[in-house]
Amino acid sequence: MEPWQKDLINIIETVADEVESFFQGINDMVDAFFELTEEITEQVHNNIATDIDQYLQELAEPLLEVYWDLEDVVSDVDPGFPYTVEATTEHQPACIGCSNYHGQVYGGNLLVCAMHPQGWDDASCPDWEKNHREF
């Protein structure tokens, strides 16, 4: 082999080594860039998630306070469900011990019994019947 051919082969091998080294350097830089962007993305994601969580919490707190305040107001108002009112000496005394006494409140209106929906005004009701369930 002639010396110029050996020189050409050495030059080609040197160029191939340098090109391989160049691309290896580029590959290392790309890997480092991706690692850096992954770290930045993770930090941004964590910061954004924290900021959004804090923002939503700040937004939700006043709404929850209003909700709890409304719950207090609603609990003071008749919820529309029937509830029982017992006959007492001050309230519906003619109905104490009567089997016809209903005593349920519907939508804020007391239904005393079927015969006298608003109750009886006197101390003794003509339709009074002994409640056999009372002890």
Side-chain angles (χ1 to χ4, degrees):
M1 201 186 275
E2 304 243 354
W4 68 269
Q5 289 174 333
K6 287 183 183 179
D7 289 342
L8 181 61
I9 290 174
N10 284 339
I11 291 173
I12 291 174
E13 286 177 353
T14 303
V15 167
D17 289 342
E18 290 298 320
V19 167
E20 183 180 351
S21 175
F22 172 76
F23 282 114
Q24 185 60 40
I26 294 290
N27 191 29
D28 292 343
M29 286 185 353
V30 168
D31 288 345
F33 177 74
F34 280 126
E35 286 179 18
L36 180 65
T37 56
E38 284 178 0
E39 289 176 14
I40 291 173
T41 302
E42 187 175 323
Q43 288 179 357
V44 167
H45 176 72
N46 289 340
N47 288 343
I48 288 175
T50 302
D51 290 346
I52 288 175
D53 185 47
Q54 183 178 1
Y55 175 74
L56 290 176
Q57 187 173 6
E58 289 173 1
L59 183 66
E61 279 183 10
L63 294 175
L64 289 174
E65 286 180 22
V66 168
Y67 174 76
W68 294 122
D69 290 345
L70 280 177
E71 187 178 67
D72 292 341
V73 169
V74 169
S75 66
D76 294 341
V77 177
D78 179 11
F81 293 105
Y83 59 92
T84 303
V85 174
E86 294 294 326
T88 63
T89 55
E90 294 85 26
H91 186 68
Q92 306 300 331
C95 302
I96 296 174
C98 180
S99 64
N100 296 320
Y101 182 72
H102 183 66
Q104 294 285 319
V105 177
Y106 300 95
N109 299 311
L110 174 64
L111 176 59
V112 177
C113 71
M115 280 77 65
H116 310 285
Q118 276 76 36
W120 189 256
D121 292 333
D122 295 339
S124 63
C125 175
D127 296 305
W128 189 91
E129 293 180 13
K130 181 176 178 154
N131 189 350
H132 299 288
R133 290 179 285 168
E134 295 232 351
F135 299 110

